[in-house]
Each structure stands twice: as structure tokens, then as C-alpha cells.
Amino acid sequence: TVLPNGRVVFSSRQFSDEEEFPNGKLAFFAINNDGTDLMPFYGNHEQPVNKIDIHVSGTNQGIYFIESDNTDLLGGGNIAYLSQRRPLHSYKKIAKSSKGFYVTPCLLPDGNLLVSFRSFKEDDEYTLYYLNSVTGEREKLVLNTPGWHNLDVQLNASHPKVKGRSN
């Protein structure tokens, strides 16, 4: 995803000699849009192993993402938060579920999230919920389409123009 300052943040698999993680861990890195200034952004050594589905907020300088040690076929796990200003020091878990997987968090203007959620049952579909970003509770079912996954919700609103950034 692209940050408002023009830097690109992405997941990168990091391999190491750790026996407990033979497939490595996913970490976030940031790079200028011209390919220069590659730097760790978050999660190079932190658990859980997988960090995916980055969503940048245009309103609260937050970054929301999905983290998990064991992922579902479509991805999924818990919802976490980082500040764009201090990503290495601002980690906060927003929602953890012992009943299923979250994917594709999207921040709403009221500060809460729209998220896709499904139970651990393999034949269940992802449904769209309104989630309280303070309590981490799913408060209201927004969309359920039987036979279809409801994924990758996007806010249809104007966004600030992303700045260009080069070395």
C-alpha cells in the first residue's frame, strides 16, 4: 500500500536460521516509489509470523493489518494497528477472535472499521461486519451473501493526493 508521504509499504518474507520458523516470517518494509531507501517498517522479529492485508487510514494516521501464526486459505487472523509516525513503537491489537478469521480491515470516518470475518469452519464464507475499533467487538452484520465471500471492502470517498517521494 502507499502511505500519504509517497512511500510504499509491503510485506516481505524474512528467512533466518530459527528452527521454529523454517518458512521465515513476514515483516513490513517501506521504500520510496523510485525504488530507493529500503527500510524495515515493522515486524522483522516480532510475532506472529504472518503480517498481511495492510490498510492505511487517511484520517487518523493509522495502519491496520492482519496478523496470524496460522493463516486460512484466504489469509486471515487478528486485526492490529500501527501509527504511521512511530510504527516500531505503536503496535496495538484491535481485535482477536477465538471463533474465526478477520481479513481486509477498512477504517470508516467515525473511527471504527468494516471487516470481513468467517468462522474456522472451512465451508463458511467471509461476511462483512461493523467492528468497534476501541473494544474490538463485532457490533453489526453489514453484508452476508450466501455462497460468496465478501472481501476487500474499500471506502468510496475522496482521499488526499499521495505525494511523490524520491531520493
Side-chain angles (χ1 to χ4, degrees), residues 104-118:
T104 61
C106 179
L107 187 71
L108 297 171
D110 68 1
N112 292 304
L113 299 165
L114 280 179
V115 297
S116 296
F117 177 83
R118 82 168 186 92

Side-chain angles (χ1 to χ4, degrees), residues 42 48 65 67 80-82 86-93:
Y42 174 76
F65 64 97
E67 61 177 13
Y81 164 89
L82 300 172
R86 297 196 52 160
L88 297 172
H89 304 284
S90 59
Y91 169 85
K92 183 170 94 172
K93 189 171 292 195

Side-chain angles (χ1 to χ4, degrees), residues 16-27:
S16 69
D17 294 335
E18 296 178 64
E19 289 181 19
E20 62 184 310
F21 306 110
N23 295 323
K25 298 177 186 176
L26 284 175

Side-chain angles (χ1 to χ4, degrees), residues 28-45:
F28 293 149
F29 279 77
I31 193 168
N32 288 340
N33 59 3
D34 67 355
T36 61
D37 201 19
L38 176 67
M39 296 178 62
F41 192 77
Y42 174 76
N44 202 21
H45 301 287

Side-chain angles (χ1 to χ4, degrees), residues 123-136:
D123 57 343
D124 279 357
E125 292 95 14
Y126 277 99
T127 55
L128 193 59
Y129 282 90
Y130 182 84
L131 185 126
N132 185 310
S133 62
V134 175
T135 65

